[in-house]
């Protein structure tokens, strides 16, 4: 497995979570408020956030994988450390890759918003992980083209790499855990899953 995690900039930590869609992940609200009292006056600041609740993450089939996740989670208790993760709601099906590695085409997504900070996330069958900053998104009659600030890795245009080798493609989002504890569900003594909640940090992206 090789990582090509470029253009993250705010935090280079990527937590690779495989979403269990049988858990029906949900969005709960669009804003959160933090109130502070100074000299008897309440000052409220609104933060644009997108909490993502009840996400079932991949089943860990060995104690090493679960331990690595728990170490990463414990390091972020207190809800102040950010990390990158795959966006759990919008998935893209790649249909073509630019031979010059500057764009890829996906099945048409008519309602795709672009704000200038989005990153792409790709996972290959061999375990390789790729991120790139998106510079623009254009719509054609039958596909959506996603353009990047820097070249995609050579592995994506290798003759031995097929489109079907891309097993996951979505946005990469900047997030924090929205909880300070987790419940571990053991299927066997070696297989476990956890449910998590996140907040997407829409006001903290770095625009290059």
């Amino acid at each position: 497995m090789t990582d090509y995690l470029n253009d993250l900039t705010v935090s280079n930590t990527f937590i690779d979570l495989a979403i269990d869609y049988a858990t029906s992940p949900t969005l709960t609200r669009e804003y959160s408020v933090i109130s502070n009292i100074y000299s008897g006056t309440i000052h409220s600041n609104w933060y644009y956030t997108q909490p993502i609740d009840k996400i079932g993450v991949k089943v860990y089939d060995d104690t090493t994988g679960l331990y690595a996740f728990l170490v990463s989670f414990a390091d972020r208790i207190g809800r102040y450390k950010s990390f990158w993760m795959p966006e759990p709601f919008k998935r893209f099906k790649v249909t073509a890759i630019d031979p010059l590695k500057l764009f890829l085409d996906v099945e048409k997504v008519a309602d795709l918003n672009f704000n200038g900070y989005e990153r792409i996330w790709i996972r290959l069958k061999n375990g390789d992980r790729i991120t790139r900053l998106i510079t623009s998104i254009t719509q054609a009659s039958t596909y959506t083209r996603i353009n990047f600030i820097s070249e995609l890795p050579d592995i994506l245009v290798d003759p031995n790499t097929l489109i079907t080798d891309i097993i996951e493609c979505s946005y990469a989002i900047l997030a924090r855990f929205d909880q300070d504890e987790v419940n571990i569900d053991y299927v066997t003594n070696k297989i476990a899953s956890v449910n998590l909640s996140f907040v997407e940090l829409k006001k903290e992206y770095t625009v290059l």
Side-chain angles (χ1 to χ4, degrees):
M1 183 184 79
T2 304
D3 283 341
Y4 307 93
L5 302 179
N6 292 17
D7 306 329
L8 297 183
T9 69
V10 178
S11 167
N12 287 321
T13 300
F14 200 103
I15 298 181
D16 186 358
L17 300 173
I19 306 302
D20 177 9
Y21 288 95
T23 63
S24 300
T26 58
L27 292 176
T28 59
R29 61 191 186 279
E30 290 296 332
Y31 309 98
S32 64
V33 63
I34 297 177
S35 297
N36 299 295
I37 300 178
Y38 301 102
S39 303
T41 302
I42 298 178
H43 301 270
S44 296
N45 296 309
W46 286 92
Y47 292 87
Y48 290 83
T49 61
Q50 182 168 282
I52 302 169
D53 279 354
K54 300 177 183 176
I55 302 295
V57 303
K58 75 175 182 179
V59 174
Y60 291 92
D61 56 5
D62 61 75
T63 54
T64 302
L66 179 59
Y67 177 76
F69 165 75
L70 291 175
V71 169
S72 185
F73 179 82
D75 186 50
R76 288 161 178 80
I77 287 177
R79 312 184 191 193
Y80 72 98
K81 281 190 177 181
S82 61
F83 57 89
W84 293 87
M85 61 173 280
E87 201 276 344
F89 296 101
K90 193 178 293 294
R91 288 292 184 266
F92 307 127
K93 184 176 181 180
V94 179
T95 58
I97 300 172
D98 173 25
L100 299 178
K101 302 173 291 184
L102 290 175
F103 67 79
L104 57 79
D105 295 338
V106 300
E107 285 189 354
K108 189 172 180 64
V109 186
D111 61 343
L112 197 60
N113 294 324
F114 177 68
N115 300 289
Y117 54 70
E118 286 87 352
R119 275 80 169 166
I120 201 74
W121 151 255
I122 296 171
R123 187 210 309 269
L124 299 182
K125 189 181 297 183
N126 66 0
D128 288 2
R129 308 184 304 169
I130 301 161
T131 59
R132 289 294 187 277
L133 179 69
I134 300 170
T135 55
S136 64
I137 294 175
T138 55
Q139 299 288 358
S141 58
T142 59
Y143 62 87
T144 298
R145 177 160 293 176
I146 302 175
N147 302 287
F148 303 110
I149 193 171
S150 57
E151 292 182 357
L152 294 165
D154 292 338
I155 185 67
L156 284 179
V157 294
D158 188 298
N160 296 316
T161 301
L162 306 176
I163 292 291
T164 53
D165 289 330
I166 299 175
I167 61 173
E168 188 174 358
C169 181
S170 69
Y171 283 142
I173 62 171
L174 186 66
R176 290 191 182 98
F177 289 116
D178 200 29
Q179 63 197 75
D180 292 326
E181 60 183 40
V182 292
N183 293 320
I184 304 171
D185 295 321
Y186 284 94
V187 181
T188 70
N189 63 340
K190 290 188 177 181
I191 300 176
S193 63
V194 295
N195 287 319
L196 299 168
S197 296
F198 308 93
V199 174
E200 182 184 4
L201 307 175
K202 289 188 173 182
K203 300 292 283 187
E204 297 186 27
Y205 287 103
T206 296
V207 180
L208 298 182

